[in-house]
């Protein structure tokens, strides 16, 4: 006769044999049930996850859909079940599922022990079955007796194909899982797999009668890490709200049923020491045992964290021995900590900050120092680590600026003043930044003559020198920048080498500032030396901004020296420097786009120049120095001149760029642009007067001045000026071509056509290498016959048309005429339209052929007519053929 009571003589609790019912909102997840199907082929299956992960409902749903196999379900008990009680309930679970057991299997008489005969006879009985029985042991983490685990493993091993054991547990069971893993006889479903995906979460929320936008569901999944109970509890609460979407986005976890669940199921099940540790580490995004010990004042964190991880107590292991709390659990614990120990939080943040600072984790140390409202420590940590450059460059620049935005005015000291100076200069608030720098210098002066004068404030002095160099750069004061660089050089040997290695952005920024200041002063060779050192640094996110800026300014030097190809290569390399590290914009100075725009003007590609100039308007505030402002004004003015708008050119250069020192090249180039604008409007005297401001020591400026001397009717003065500066040999084609054309123009004025023809041909050869077109447009009408002659007797001149092909001078047998004037480059789509015009296609036919609208074709036609200076289709086709575009 089968027993009807447990070893204590009490009736069996039938609820422990019942497969749990699923709620109406239960979501069957096929990816998990398919995985569970492997349990039918494996001796052992383990579903291991945290409280509320959906383990039990998953297995219950799977079990009820297993046709043809008996499924025995047993929910284990935590009420001190001994081996006898466990085996009595297990045997009754099998019988309840319809599994017939032989009488000789027996029944435990003692709740606390069971002899070896019962497991052996049960294993033999199961092994004799033709079809296996599936045994599900739910909440198996409640079974803590080692002998039970040993006896269960004995039965599993000897039952063979007659038993399929499924364990549902929060912790790692005591069974020798490694053996089953090694033999390929274990199916495992763990927390990561149990987590709801975004589509699953959306479907689950829909089962609760809610319709939420994807972004709201995504945010909920991120906040709960796909935790089943969190999603369900939140959906239930949101369903009772008038605005479910707002509730999901704004709900306070610590005041919800989720908090009650986690506090009851996780926190209160722990001993007091573990509870204390969990509450304290809840302030940390991630932590290691050493940091946890620093917060608790004990040394047992390692063992506790390891156990919590094994027990799925919402403590998740990360790489390199780090841990983190489940986000919702951490949020609830923080609220619980504030309620139980309201005064503890600042002190815990201070302990964390100090430990992290000693461990070299600067970013985390700064965050906890700020959270503790300990700004002297936080500013001191940044400065002492030589990390002041993080205000300007690197992936954390925005975070650092936001972090220190909470530092109040009442915080005094050298380090806070340096931080304030960096914060203001990063926003190009030069006046406020200089004021804070002055206060920082006063603080540093207190160290003078003391024992700590050298080593103590070395990092602070270096930080001060870096900011001084930046302030001098922004003010256009090269001498001050050089002084700051010398001060920094004298302190570098006092700073540990590993500190400089850890912050390469410091040296890169310093050299970039000094190099740009030298560029403003016109000391191109010295500027190139400093900037080239920066570009030689290893590419990394920390130095991306000074690397980009230095490349852009090296490109500007090349451009000012007349080397367009070199300028273009460096500028394009600068363009991709910060983009490849994914830094947010504006991440650079934009000087490289200005250089590319200036190159496009010289090549007469005016539409491209305008687009580049517009793109260059966005730049990092801390890099908007006089070099950038002067370059922007000059490029815009030259573009206006090329477009035939001298008034706009004058307006672009009219406001002087504010700077402490005068830049010879900026002054000279500004005078040249203004003189050219006056000359274009017939104001010869005004133009001639401006030429006196052009410094002859700047070769490019002197050549420009010579061109204008020729234009106002002073060819002898123009040639005399060129003879003095001798641009040939050390300047690039953009300078030497203009010089050759000035000499050619002077020869033409003197009636020496042979010399003029020779000089124009030389200019064409030199210009062709760098597609330099603008000087020929600027030369005036006298050059057209010489260009025609150059085309007949030397290098062809069809390339002088932007985007044009070879100009053959006309049909065969016809005397080639003068090369046509250069026009604005046609876009690719405009060329497509033009080619179809030549085929006599109508507007509607072109639109159909190109798969665009008729209005779009008309827009392209207007642009083609404008660029070719024609009014009709036939003229456009004829003109395009003349220019070699067809």
């Amino acid at each position: 006769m089968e027993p009807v009571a447990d070893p204590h003589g009490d009736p069996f609790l039938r609820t422990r044999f019942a497969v749990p019912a699923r709620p109406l909102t239960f979501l069957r997840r096929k990816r998990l049930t398919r995985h569970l199907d492997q349990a039918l082929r494996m001796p052992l299956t383990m579903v291991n996850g945290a409280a509320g992960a959906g383990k039990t409902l998953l297995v219950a749903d799977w079990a009820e859909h297993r046709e043809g196999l008996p499924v025995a379900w047993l929910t284990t008990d935590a009420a001190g079940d001994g081996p006898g009680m466990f085996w009595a309930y297990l045997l009754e679970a099998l019988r309840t599922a319809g599994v017939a057991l032989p009488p000789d299997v027996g029944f435990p008489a003692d709740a606390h022990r069971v002899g070896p005969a019962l497991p052996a006879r049960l294993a033999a009985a199961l092994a004799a079955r033709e079809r296996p029985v599936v045994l599900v042991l739910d909440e198996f983490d409640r079974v803590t007796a080692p002998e039970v685990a040993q006896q269960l493993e004995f039965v599993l091993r000897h039952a063979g194909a007659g038993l399929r054991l499924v364990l549902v547990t929060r912790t790692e069971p005591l069974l020798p899982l490694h053996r089953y893993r090694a033999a390929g006889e274990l199916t495992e479903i763990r927390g990561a797999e149990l987590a709801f995906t975004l589509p699953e979460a959306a479907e689950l929320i829909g089962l609760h009668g809610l319709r939420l936008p994807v972004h709201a569901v995504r945010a909920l999944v991120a906040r709960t890490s796909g935790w089943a109970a969190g999603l369900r509890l939140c959906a239930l609460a949101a369903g009772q709200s008038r605005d479910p979407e707002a509730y999901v986005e704004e709900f306070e976890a610590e005041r919800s049923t989720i908090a009650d669940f986690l506090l009851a199921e996780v926190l209160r099940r722990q001993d007091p020491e573990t509870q204390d540790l969990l509450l304290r580490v809840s302030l940390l995004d991630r932590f290691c045992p050493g940091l946890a010990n620093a917060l608790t004042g004990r040394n047992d964190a390692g063992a506790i964290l390891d156990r919590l991880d094994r027990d799925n107590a919402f403590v998740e292991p990360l790489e390199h021995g780090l841990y983190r709390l489940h986000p919702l659990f951490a949020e609830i614990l923080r609220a619980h900590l504030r309620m139980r120990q309201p005064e503890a939080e600042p002190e815990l943040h201070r302990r964390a900050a100090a430990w992290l600072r000693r461990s070299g984790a600067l970013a985390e140390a700064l965050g906890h120092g700020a959270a503790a409202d300990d700004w002297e420590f936080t500013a001191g940590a940044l400065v002492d680590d030589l990390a002041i450059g993080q205000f300007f460059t690197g992936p954390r620049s925005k975070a650092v600026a936001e972090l220190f935005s909470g530092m109040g005015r009442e915080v005094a000291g050298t380090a806070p003043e340096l931080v304030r100076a960096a914060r203001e200069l990063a926003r190009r608030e030069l006046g406020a930044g200089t004021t804070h720098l002055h206060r920082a210098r006063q603080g540093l002066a207190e160290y003078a003559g003391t024992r700590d004068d050298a080593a103590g404030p070395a990092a602070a002095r270096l930080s001060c020198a870096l900011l001084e160099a930046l302030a001098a750069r922004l003010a256009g004061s090269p001498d001050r920048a050089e002084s700051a660089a010398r001060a920094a050089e004298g302190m570098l040997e006092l700073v540990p080498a590993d500190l400089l290695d850890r912050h390469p952005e410091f040296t890169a920024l310093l050299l970039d500032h000094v190099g740009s200041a030298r560029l403003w002063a016109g000391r191109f060779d010295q500027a190139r030396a400093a900037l080239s050192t920066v570009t030689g640094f290893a590419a990394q996110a920390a130095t991306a901004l000074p690397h980009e800026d230095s490349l852009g300014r090296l490109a500007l030097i090349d451009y000012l020296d007349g080397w367009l190809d070199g300028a273009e290569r460096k500028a394009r390399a600068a363009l991709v420097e910060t983009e490849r590290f994914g830094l947010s914009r504006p991440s650079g100075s934009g000087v490289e786009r200005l250089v590319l725009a200036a190159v496009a003007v010289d090549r007469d590609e005016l539409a491209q120049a305008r687009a580049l100039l517009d793109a260059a308007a966005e730049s990092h505030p801390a890099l908007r120095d006089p070099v950038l402002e002067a370059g922007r004004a000059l490029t815009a003015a030259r573009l206006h001149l090329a477009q035939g708008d001298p008034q706009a050119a004058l307006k672009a250069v009219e406001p002087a760029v504010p700077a402490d020192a005068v830049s010879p090249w900026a002054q000279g180039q500004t005078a040249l642009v203004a003189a050219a604008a006056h000359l274009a409007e017939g104001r010869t005297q005004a133009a001639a007067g401006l030429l006196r401001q052009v410094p002859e020591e700047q070769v490019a400026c002197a050549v420009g001045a010579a061109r204008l001397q020729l234009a106002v009717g002073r060819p002898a003065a123009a040639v005399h000026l060129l003879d003095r500066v001798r641009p040939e040999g050390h300047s690039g084609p953009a300078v030497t071509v203009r010089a050759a054309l000035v000499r050619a123009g002077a020869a033409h004025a003197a009636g020496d056509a042979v010399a003029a023809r020779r000089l124009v041909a030389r200019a064409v050869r030199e210009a062709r290498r760098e597609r330099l077109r603008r000087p020929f447009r600027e030369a005036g009408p006298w050059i057209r016959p010489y260009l025609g002659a150059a085309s007949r007797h030397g290098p062809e001149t069809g390339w002088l048309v932007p985007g044009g092909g070879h100009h053959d001078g006309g049909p065969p047998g016809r005397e080639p005429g003068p090369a046509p004037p250069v026009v604005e480059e046609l876009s690719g789509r405009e060329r497509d339209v033009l080619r179809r015009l030549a085929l006599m296609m109508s507007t509607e036919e072109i639109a159909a052929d190109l798969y665009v609208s008729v209005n779009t074709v008309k827009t392209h036609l207007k642009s083609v007519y404008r660029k070719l200076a024609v009014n009709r289709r036939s003229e456009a086709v004829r003109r395009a053929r003349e220019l070699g575009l067809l």
Side-chain angles (χ1 to χ4, degrees):
M1 182 177 178
E2 295 180 0
V4 295
D6 65 26
H8 289 303
D10 298 323
F12 284 113
L13 299 174
R14 293 292 163 184
T15 54
R16 294 178 61 181
F17 308 133
V19 178
R22 273 79 63 218
L24 294 175
T25 55
F26 174 77
L27 174 67
R28 179 176 295 117
R29 296 187 279 169
K30 292 183 179 179
R31 65 180 177 88
L32 295 179
T33 55
R34 284 195 298 267
H35 194 171
L36 267 178
D37 284 341
Q38 297 180 24
L40 303 178
R41 302 189 297 273
M42 299 285 182
L44 178 60
T45 295
M46 180 178 66
V47 182
N48 188 338
K55 308 180 297 296
T56 296
L57 293 180
L58 167 67
V59 177
D61 178 69
W62 173 82
E64 287 215 336
H65 288 82
R66 299 281 65 77
E67 297 179 0
L69 288 181
V71 178
W73 187 283
L74 173 61
T75 301
T76 58
D77 196 345
D81 278 4
M85 188 69 74
F86 172 83
W87 285 105
Y89 265 90
L90 189 148
L91 292 172
E92 186 63 18
L94 291 171
R95 294 188 179 100
T96 301
V99 178
L101 297 176
D104 66 350
V105 169
F107 185 80
D110 188 340
H112 301 293
R113 63 178 300 277
V114 66
L118 188 150
R121 290 169 181 163
L122 176 59
L126 293 173
R129 290 181 57 84
E130 293 184 0
R131 306 186 69 187
V133 58
V134 177
L135 173 61
V136 179
L137 298 181
D138 189 22
E139 300 186 23
F140 190 70
D141 47 281
R142 295 171 179 257
V143 177
T144 58
E147 57 268 37
V148 170
Q150 293 170 4
Q151 293 162 352
L152 183 63
E153 200 274 328
F154 175 87
V155 172
L156 178 62
R157 180 156 32 95
H158 293 283
L163 176 64
R164 298 290 181 254
L165 179 62
V166 179
L167 303 180
V168 183
T169 177
R170 295 187 189 181
T171 65
E172 199 84 348
L174 297 175
L175 277 66
L177 299 179
H178 61 282
R179 296 180 187 169
Y180 292 91
R181 287 194 187 102
E185 296 178 339
L186 173 64
T187 298
E188 293 184 82
I189 296 179
R190 291 184 172 271
E193 193 176 355
L194 290 168
F196 274 67
T197 64
L198 179 60
E200 290 170 348
E203 192 174 353
L204 176 67
I205 289 171
L207 290 174
H208 286 77
L210 301 177
R211 292 294 180 268
L212 298 179
V214 174
H215 71 85
V217 179
R218 182 179 291 108
L220 185 58
V221 171
R223 194 171 185 188
T224 60
S225 297
W227 178 45
L231 291 169
R232 288 194 177 94
L233 291 170
C234 184
L236 288 170
Q240 301 173 9
S241 171
R242 293 182 178 180
D243 188 345
E245 182 179 346
Y247 177 85
V248 167
E249 292 179 352
E250 301 172 6
F251 84 95
E252 298 181 50
E254 65 269 20
R255 298 182 182 178
S256 69
T257 51
I258 298 176
D260 297 336
F261 181 94
L262 286 173
L263 291 175
E265 291 292 326
V266 181
L267 184 64
R268 291 177 186 137
R269 292 179 63 173
Q270 309 298 332
D271 57 68
E273 290 76 14
T274 303
Q275 290 189 34
D276 179 67
L277 181 143
L278 287 171
L279 288 170
R280 289 171 181 262
V281 299
S282 67
L283 299 177
L284 307 170
D285 292 330
R286 56 182 187 168
F287 48 89
C288 63
L291 178 54
N293 284 332
L295 266 61
T296 61
R298 303 193 307 272
N299 59 5
D300 57 354
I304 294 176
L305 293 172
D306 186 53
R307 174 175 56 78
L308 290 170
D309 171 33
R310 290 197 311 272
D311 292 352
N312 281 316
F314 291 87
V315 174
E316 304 168 0
L318 304 174
E319 71 284 352
H320 308 305
L322 296 174
Y323 296 85
R324 73 163 189 167
L325 298 180
H326 185 286
L328 270 182
F329 191 35
E331 188 177 339
I332 292 164
L333 288 176
R334 285 193 294 272
H336 204 57
L337 175 67
R338 295 186 190 109
M339 180 180 66
R340 288 175 51 174
Q341 304 176 48
E343 75 291 341
E345 190 169 347
E347 175 58 26
L348 290 174
H349 278 301
R350 272 190 286 271
R351 290 189 191 182
W355 190 92
L356 290 163
R357 176 73 182 92
R358 291 192 301 271
S359 302
L362 179 66
E364 291 87 347
L366 296 179
H368 286 287
D373 206 27
D374 191 345
W375 293 107
E376 289 186 28
F377 167 88
T378 308
L382 184 81
V383 171
D384 290 346
D385 206 74
L386 211 62
I388 200 77
Q390 290 186 1
F391 266 99
F392 310 98
T393 183
R396 298 198 65 254
S397 58
K398 185 177 180 180
V400 169
E402 290 176 351
L403 179 75
F404 282 98
S405 64
M407 185 172 69
R409 296 181 179 180
E410 71 282 357
V411 182
T414 300
E417 291 297 346
L418 287 171
V419 166
R420 292 188 183 99
R423 185 176 62 195
E424 298 299 332
L425 291 174
R427 300 191 294 229
R428 205 181 183 279
E429 296 292 340
L430 187 56
T434 303
T435 299
H436 291 301
L437 264 179
H438 176 69
R439 293 173 183 167
R441 283 195 302 271
Q442 288 179 324
L444 288 170
E446 297 177 4
Y447 287 96
T450 68
R451 180 180 302 174
D452 294 332
D453 184 32
R461 289 188 187 280
L462 272 174
S463 300
C464 189
L466 173 66
L467 299 179
E468 290 277 11
L470 172 56
R473 168 188 182 166
L474 293 175
S477 179
D479 291 343
R480 279 174 47 203
E482 296 287 358
S483 176
R486 287 192 297 271
E489 187 176 0
M491 298 300 299
L492 285 174
E493 62 184 21
L494 300 177
V495 174
D498 66 313
L499 198 58
L500 287 170
D501 292 340
R502 199 159 64 240
H503 293 290
E505 75 277 0
F506 183 91
T507 306
L509 285 168
L510 181 63
L511 290 171
D512 183 44
H513 299 333
V514 174
S516 189
R518 290 172 178 173
L519 172 54
W520 178 248
R523 301 195 288 268
F524 290 170
D525 290 341
Q526 296 177 24
R528 189 181 287 110
L531 298 171
S532 297
T533 303
V534 179
T535 61
F537 284 16
Q540 52 184 297
T543 58
L545 182 137
H547 201 273
E548 174 190 356
D549 190 53
S550 293
L551 272 172
R553 287 165 200 269
L554 286 170
L556 179 58
I557 294 173
D558 277 355
Y559 174 79
L560 293 173
D561 280 341
W563 301 99
L564 267 61
D565 273 358
E568 184 181 37
R569 284 194 303 272
K570 291 182 177 68
R572 293 198 182 282
L575 273 178
V576 301
E577 187 61 29
T578 53
E579 292 176 0
R580 65 172 167 159
F581 291 107
L583 302 183
S584 60
R585 298 203 61 83
S587 56
S589 66
V591 69
E592 63 275 5
R593 286 185 171 83
L594 288 179
V595 171
L596 290 172
V599 169
V601 171
D602 272 347
R603 291 174 176 166
D604 221 41
E605 298 163 349
L606 304 186
Q608 183 178 358
R610 169 50 60 191
L612 287 163
L613 192 60
D614 291 342
E618 187 182 28
S619 60
H620 194 295
L623 301 180
R624 293 175 194 158
D625 59 1
V627 170
L628 182 69
E629 298 303 326
R632 194 190 313 279
L634 288 167
T635 305
R638 288 199 179 98
L639 179 58
H640 289 311
L641 280 176
Q643 292 172 329
D645 191 349
Q647 284 297 321
L650 282 172
K651 187 176 180 180
V653 295
E654 187 175 36
V657 175
D660 291 352
V662 174
S663 171
W665 65 265
Q667 181 189 44
Q669 297 286 357
T670 300
L672 289 173
V673 168
H678 284 299
L679 190 61
E681 298 210 320
R683 294 189 289 271
T684 306
Q685 292 300 321
L690 285 168
L691 293 181
R692 289 190 289 271
Q693 300 179 21
V694 179
E696 294 184 9
E697 66 272 11
Q698 296 286 322
V699 177
C701 292
V703 171
R707 185 182 72 82
L708 290 174
Q709 290 282 15
L710 177 66
V712 299
R714 300 173 183 173
V719 172
H720 180 66
L721 182 54
L722 291 179
D723 288 341
R724 285 205 306 270
V725 298
R726 294 289 179 185
E728 298 80 9
H730 55 267
S731 296
V735 175
T736 59
V737 166
R738 285 183 167 91
L741 291 179
V742 170
R743 292 186 185 276
H748 171 78
D752 188 351
V754 174
R757 187 181 304 113
R758 174 177 50 80
L759 287 164
V760 169
R762 189 179 80 187
V764 169
R765 284 194 300 271
E766 291 188 23
R768 185 178 183 181
R769 292 198 301 270
E770 304 210 11
R771 308 192 307 283
L772 185 61
R773 303 182 183 101
R774 194 71 209 161
F776 300 94
R777 295 289 302 272
E778 296 168 343
W782 66 265
I783 199 174
R784 289 182 58 81
Y786 297 105
L787 285 176
S791 180
R792 290 193 300 273
H793 303 293
E796 55 84 20
T797 56
W799 62 270
L800 286 171
V801 180
H806 297 286
H807 179 62
D808 61 7
R814 176 181 171 185
E815 180 73 13
V822 182
V823 294
E824 185 176 340
E825 183 178 6
L826 299 181
S827 70
R829 186 43 60 95
E830 288 166 354
R831 285 171 175 269
D832 292 339
V833 171
L834 186 59
R835 281 191 286 269
R836 285 159 179 79
L837 276 185
L839 297 174
M840 305 298 292
M841 294 174 67
S842 67
T843 304
E844 291 75 13
E845 289 171 334
I846 295 173
D849 198 43
L850 294 177
Y851 298 99
V852 297
S853 68
V854 172
N855 286 336
T856 299
V857 173
K858 290 179 178 179
T859 299
H860 288 314
L861 283 173
K862 288 180 181 179
S863 180
V864 169
Y865 293 164
R866 176 180 61 80
K867 292 181 178 181
L868 297 181
V870 298
N871 296 314
R872 292 192 298 273
R873 291 181 170 220
S874 58
E875 292 176 351
V877 173
R878 178 183 57 78
R879 181 74 169 137
R881 285 190 174 126
E882 289 177 355
L883 298 173
L885 299 178
L886 290 174

